[in-house]
Amino acid sequence: MPPWLLARFVGPPLHSWPTLQQLRLWVAQPLTTQTLTAGLTVFAWLLWLLVAYAVIVTAARRLRAGARWLRRLPLPTPLQATATGMAGAAALTAAANTTATAPPVQPIAVSAGTLHHDAVDAPDVHAGEGVTIRGGWLPQKTADQVAAAATLVWLWRRRSYQPGLRESPDQDDPDLAPLPAAVTAVQAAVCVPDQDSSERSPDEQPLATAPPSIAALPATGVAFAGGGAADAARGVLVTALLAALRDSPDAIRVVVTRSALTTLLPPAATAVCDSIPALRVTETAAHAVELIDSLASPTPDTAGPSPPTHEEASRLVLITEPPPGPAADRLAALLGAGRATALVLGAWPLGATWSVDQHGRTVNARLPGQAGPRLCVLDRVAAMDLLTVIAPPTPSHAPHAGAAPRTAVPEERRQPSAVRIPRQAGEDRTPQPTPPVAAQPPVELRVLGQPTLLIDGRAVTIRRSAAVQILTFLAVHRHGATTAQLVQAIWPGLAAHTVTNRLYTTLSVLRAAIRAASDLSIIDHTDDRYRLRSEHLEVDLWRLHTAAHHAATTLTDPARAWQAVIDAYTGDLAAGHTWSWIDPPREGARRLVLDAYAAAASTQHDPRRAVELLQAGIRVDPYNENLHQRAIDILTTLGDHAAAQRLRDAHRHRLSIAGLHPSDTLGEPREHSNASAGD
């Protein structure tokens, strides 16, 4: 239509090419009616061409996206097609023979363990047989091991936390820092719905078997080439270290030369790699070969063949530049004997050469057209993120040398600063006094334990699991969160602009569910910031924080104040859910009650009552070593050595099956302890 209108009323841009005489006249008098008309005509045609180009490009992009979606669309197998046809025929037959209609499916109430996960709410980071994150791709088994390593990090933090060592109630706790973005993206992709990853049984954690990136490497060594060579080498390094997490602490499974490490990782990675027990960095390739030869030497107690999975998992991995002549021959002999696996960054005439693209797909360079296995690929940022969950954590609550647990202080001589509590991540810094007694709002949000929204005492039905995440996230971040923060927390690893509509849709569904039960508005949106309206809403997590701040600052009856904190804690934050952002605030809330149990025990004059409180705290966090040590000290002082030994053995066993190692001093008697409570 626009070309016809232009041709009908304006005319073509040029009736003919200008002659030399016309050009001379235009130079002499450029601004005439004829030249202005011709210029406007040309401009109109150019504007239409620009609009047409934009429309064509947009349509082509949408067609290309639709074609990609159709290629990823799973088609039913013949068996599924047959079963679907039979089910459809049966349904039509049943509909023709009866006039009764089935009752509608009842919606699922908001409670942990019963929430269904809509397809629109699932993080779109899966890619076939693996997981795609920003900066790389991981095979499914490697992604499972990353999630298991992240779980071990939080278990280690729980084991090492020591209640009461804070300088201020509102002091930031670096031990509650969230894990890096690549780790949370992997967790979101592989998490099991409605199951707390930090509470998962150690028997359910992925075992340290050899992931595909290690087992698929040729026994004679391999050199990577192509655009994804460095990314694939980083994937092999991270995968091998993940497989070694379950090995003994003094076992070395990966050897890398200093130059190869500098090529693959940024300089900041040197300190991290030096702290990993399973990794040994050598100065030259010749030194690396000598170390491999000494580590791979058979020992007298290795009689009999090992299971294949164990052999692959424990096989040494060498990452090096091409070694010099004698060292190359020696390395080839080690590889030929199956004593190690070598990845050479450069030409390797004695082994295979794989061409790796940026997506991890391999092709044997010496056999063109023969596709190989797909390998884990990671860029520098993603590899550094994953290395942080492999390196041993740095304790931030370890006491100074010779420190002992707090001794009991008589109630009349206790000071407000005697017991400190951690500030939960995302919470305000202003201590909150005990509020005056007021009428309870008709809307109550419970996030400790099973997340539930109650209006007039009745649970509200919410159909989207992401809506429950939003309520819990806003309860944790009492002062609100922006759209970008909500999107990044609920759908990690995805660009914010691609999932913003999901957030708006989820909020609309949530508001509709609330409006169906009440006229109150509990979510306020001001200046692109969402927050819960405290004047209309009661939140159990807020009550816990208020009680904890009151207990930390009270001068009278501290035992009653700490008991109020214990009573306010009705369960773990969002128990049963494995949201990737939940671990820091969940651990922060748990530490509030652990401090309460420890402080309440220290105020007891009856040692047996103190032990009961400590054991109750141990039931809240059975991995915490400090609570075990305090209880063991008191039991030892009371002369109940059998109970102290049982408690010590149970804790050591729990840590060992989780892949953690208890402190060497656990259970040893100490000169100063809170066992003197009540003296």
Side-chain angles (χ1 to χ4, degrees):
M1 182 62 69
W4 182 83
L5 292 175
L6 290 174
R8 178 71 176 81
F9 296 102
V10 180
L14 293 175
H15 295 278
S16 62
W17 291 103
T19 63
L20 183 60
Q21 182 64 26
Q22 290 174 336
L23 290 175
R24 290 174 179 174
L25 293 176
W26 178 77
V27 171
Q29 292 183 337
L31 298 178
T32 64
T33 303
Q34 184 179 3
T35 57
L36 289 176
T37 303
L40 291 175
T41 303
V42 172
F43 177 77
W45 280 98
L46 290 177
L47 181 62
W48 175 83
L49 289 175
L50 179 63
V51 173
Y53 172 78
V55 171
I56 293 174
V57 170
T58 302
R61 289 177 178 174
R62 293 183 177 179
L63 288 175
R64 193 180 302 111
R68 288 197 300 266
W69 177 80
L70 289 175
R71 286 197 299 268
R72 294 195 301 265
L73 184 66
L75 298 177
T77 63
L79 182 59
Q80 291 173 333
T82 303
T84 304
M86 296 175 63
L92 292 174
T93 304
N97 294 334
T98 180
T99 59
T101 59
V105 178
Q106 296 297 324
I108 300 176
V110 180
S111 62
T114 59
L115 289 171
H116 63 85
H117 287 248
D118 302 321
V120 71
D121 293 339
D124 189 17
V125 291
H126 289 283
E129 70 278 14
V131 172
T132 298
I133 60 174
R134 184 175 301 177
W137 178 88
L138 298 87
Q140 188 63 47
K141 186 177 292 186
T142 304
D144 291 338
Q145 290 187 328
V146 171
T151 300
L152 287 177
V153 169
W154 283 107
L155 290 180
W156 193 95
R157 293 179 178 182
R158 291 170 59 179
R159 189 217 77 170
S160 303
Y161 176 66
Q162 300 192 24
L165 295 182
R166 314 272 309 170
E167 293 296 332
S168 169
D170 302 311
Q171 180 183 349
D172 286 325
D173 192 347
D175 200 35
L176 293 181
L179 298 180
V183 179
T184 57
V186 173
Q187 285 182 294
V190 305
C191 68
V192 180
D194 299 328
Q195 184 180 4
D196 182 1
S197 62
S198 64
E199 297 293 344
R200 189 185 305 171
S201 171
D203 296 335
E204 301 177 23
Q205 304 295 339
L207 299 178
T209 55
S213 293
I214 303 300
L217 297 180
T220 57
V222 62
F224 288 165
D231 292 348
R234 282 186 284 266
V236 170
L237 173 65
V238 171
T239 302
L241 293 177
L242 285 169
L245 283 178
R246 295 285 183 166
D247 291 344
S248 59
D250 56 347
I252 298 175
R253 296 303 178 203
V254 183
V255 178
V256 60
T257 61
R258 184 74 62 183
S259 60
L261 187 64
T262 304
T263 301
L264 298 178
L265 298 175
T270 302
V272 176
C273 293
D274 289 341
S275 66
I276 299 177
L279 177 63
R280 181 66 60 85
V281 181
T282 63
E283 295 301 327
T284 65
H287 292 161
V289 174
E290 293 178 2
L291 179 60
I292 287 289
D293 192 10
S294 62
L295 293 175
S297 299
T299 55
D301 57 345
T302 57
S306 301
T309 56
H310 175 76
E311 181 181 353
E312 292 175 354
S314 60
R315 190 166 48 170
L316 286 167
V317 177
L318 171 63
I319 303 177
T320 179
E321 66 277 4
D329 297 337
R330 191 174 178 184
L331 176 60
L334 292 174
L335 300 180
R339 307 256 290 276
T341 297
L343 169 58
V344 180
L345 303 180
W348 178 242
L350 301 180
T353 300
W354 287 0
S355 177
V356 188
D357 64 10
Q358 295 180 350
H359 302 287
R361 299 182 179 91
T362 61
V363 176
N364 193 329
R366 299 180 182 178
L367 298 173
Q370 181 177 345
R374 189 176 183 184
L375 302 178
C376 174
V377 285
L378 301 169
D379 63 10
R380 288 171 173 255
V381 176
M384 279 296 298
D385 285 355
L386 299 186
L387 285 175
T388 58
V389 299
I390 299 174
T394 301
S396 60
H397 291 285
H400 60 299
R406 279 193 310 263
T407 58
V409 180
E411 185 173 329
E412 62 273 10
R413 292 192 290 111
R414 289 180 58 82
Q415 299 296 326
S417 60
V419 179
R420 305 296 182 184
I421 62 174
R423 185 179 71 86
Q424 178 171 324
E427 189 55 42
D428 57 276
R429 297 175 179 271
T430 305
Q432 302 173 4
T434 303
V437 178
Q440 183 176 359
V443 183
E444 181 183 4
L445 176 61
R446 299 175 183 173
V447 293
L448 296 176
Q450 297 182 347
T452 307
L453 180 64
L454 300 173
I455 297 181
D456 294 329
R458 291 177 295 182
V460 177
T461 299
I462 301 177
R463 299 179 181 275
R464 287 179 179 262
S465 61
V468 183
Q469 281 203 66
I470 291 175
L471 286 175
T472 308
F473 192 85
L474 294 179
V476 171
H477 300 81
R478 187 170 183 174
H479 295 297
T482 64
T483 300
Q485 290 171 337
L486 285 171
V487 168
Q488 184 179 4
I490 299 174
W491 296 284
L494 299 181
H497 68 276
T498 63
V499 291
T500 302
N501 288 335
R502 295 189 190 182
L503 176 64
Y504 297 152
T505 302
T506 303
L507 286 169
S508 298
V509 172
L510 177 59
R511 288 192 174 104
I514 296 173
R515 282 196 304 268
S518 173
D519 295 333
L520 296 176
S521 175
I522 67 171
I523 300 180
D524 178 56
H525 184 209
T526 305
D527 297 331
D528 192 35
R529 196 168 191 86
Y530 297 90
R531 68 176 184 88
L532 297 179
R533 304 186 64 174
S534 57
E535 65 272 20
H536 296 163
L537 186 66
E538 178 91 5
V539 182
D540 56 355
L541 180 64
W542 299 352
R543 289 197 300 266
L544 173 66
H545 277 276
T546 300
H549 279 288
H550 174 69
T553 57
T554 186
L555 295 174
T556 60
D557 202 358
R560 184 186 299 271
W562 289 117
Q563 186 61 44
V565 179
I566 295 172
D567 295 338
Y569 188 82
T570 56
D572 288 342
L573 178 63
H577 289 279
T578 54
W579 306 324
S580 58
W581 59 270
I582 196 65
D583 283 323
R586 175 181 287 159
E587 179 62 17
R590 183 187 287 122
R591 290 182 178 185
L592 291 177
V593 73
L594 293 184
D595 285 332
Y597 277 115
S602 66
T603 63
Q604 294 297 319
H605 295 283
D606 182 4
R608 298 192 179 277
R609 174 57 182 161
V611 171
E612 292 176 359
L613 288 169
L614 292 173
Q615 289 178 332
I618 290 172
R619 286 192 291 271
V620 172
D621 190 354
Y623 295 95
N624 187 267
E625 191 170 271
N626 184 265
L627 292 181
H628 282 81
Q629 182 65 65
R630 297 187 184 200
I632 291 172
D633 289 343
I634 298 177
L635 290 172
T636 303
T637 303
L638 292 174
D640 195 347
H641 299 282
Q645 185 64 38
R646 287 194 301 270
L647 185 60
R648 180 188 303 109
D649 294 343
H651 184 55
R652 287 181 177 272
H653 178 68
R654 179 180 294 274
L655 293 180
S656 63
I657 62 176
L660 300 174
H661 303 283
S663 300
D664 296 334
T665 59
L666 175 62
E668 294 183 359
R670 291 185 285 190
E671 181 179 355
H672 302 286
S673 73
N674 61 354
S676 59
D679 290 350

